[in-house]
Amino acid sequence: MKRLRRFLQVPLPRKRMLAEAAMQLLLAWLVVRVVPFRWWSHWLGDSISGEADPQDAIDDQRARDISWAVTAINRAVGGRYTCLMLAVAAQRMLDRRHISSSLVLGTFTEYGEDRCPIMTAHAWLRVGRQVVLGHHDGRYAAVASFVRSYRHLGNE
């Protein structure tokens, strides 16, 4: 009941953004869980080795709003979505607004007590030089970036 009251107090534009985030997260969940990565990775943008900045990216408040909405929905469902699902959903929302972004996939390797390597993967989303979703402490090494670039046309 508390969540419902809070949701009802949210302004209409934010409610719309939350609804869009919920739909995009459901779609991202379905794609990530059911379809092999090689079949849908080309939808993420141009593949580049390492971490890349989208050339035309600018600081845009809408990117932070999208990050907020995707994170809020994930929190509301108990954190059931992975970092890749969150990044894919947010990137699709940025695409709809023609905001350049870079979805980055990275790894971190540590060694367990038995000296066996344990690799952890992580995905984060960048708009320009700023990480807007999937913040990490810099220990992940970028393996690949999927860049979506749009020529800046101003806020729509």
Side-chain angles (χ1 to χ4, degrees):
M1 210 51 151
K2 183 179 176 181
R3 280 190 188 157
L4 179 59
R5 272 194 305 257
R6 263 195 308 179
F7 179 75
L8 292 174
Q9 293 173 349
V10 173
L12 186 59
R14 297 247 270 178
K15 284 180 188 167
R16 285 187 186 128
M17 186 164 287
L18 287 168
E20 181 184 357
M23 294 299 291
Q24 291 298 337
L25 282 166
L26 284 172
L27 180 62
W29 181 89
L30 185 64
V31 168
V32 170
R33 291 283 185 217
V34 176
V35 183
F37 183 75
R38 70 180 178 276
W39 289 2
W40 59 268
S41 62
H42 65 278
W43 294 339
L44 298 175
D46 297 328
S47 179
I48 298 170
S49 295
E51 191 162 9
D53 288 335
Q55 297 292 340
D56 302 322
I58 59 161
D59 186 30
D60 194 320
Q61 177 61 40
R62 295 175 299 168
R64 290 185 290 280
D65 292 342
I66 288 168
S67 176
W68 165 83
V70 168
T71 303
I73 294 297
N74 190 43
R75 218 176 16 253
V77 298
R80 286 182 168 75
Y81 296 106
T82 65
C83 56
L84 180 58
M85 293 171 193
L86 296 170
V88 167
Q91 187 186 47
R92 287 184 48 87
M93 292 174 72
L94 290 168
D95 285 348
R96 286 192 63 236
R97 291 157 179 85
H98 300 283
I99 299 172
S100 298
S101 66
S102 175
L103 191 152
V104 185
L105 302 177
T107 61
F108 170 69
T109 304
E110 61 185 335
Y111 293 90
E113 293 177 8
D114 58 356
R115 314 238 348 119
C116 287
I118 302 167
M119 185 180 285
T120 307
H122 185 51
W124 60 95
L125 189 63
R126 296 177 56 144
V127 173
R129 298 184 189 277
Q130 183 180 14
V131 175
V132 294
L133 189 70
H135 300 279
H136 59 89
D137 57 7
R139 63 186 189 158
Y140 287 89
V143 174
S145 294
F146 295 89
V147 179
R148 304 283 292 192
S149 291
Y150 299 95
R151 195 176 325 195
H152 177 62
L153 303 172
N155 287 346
E156 297 171 1

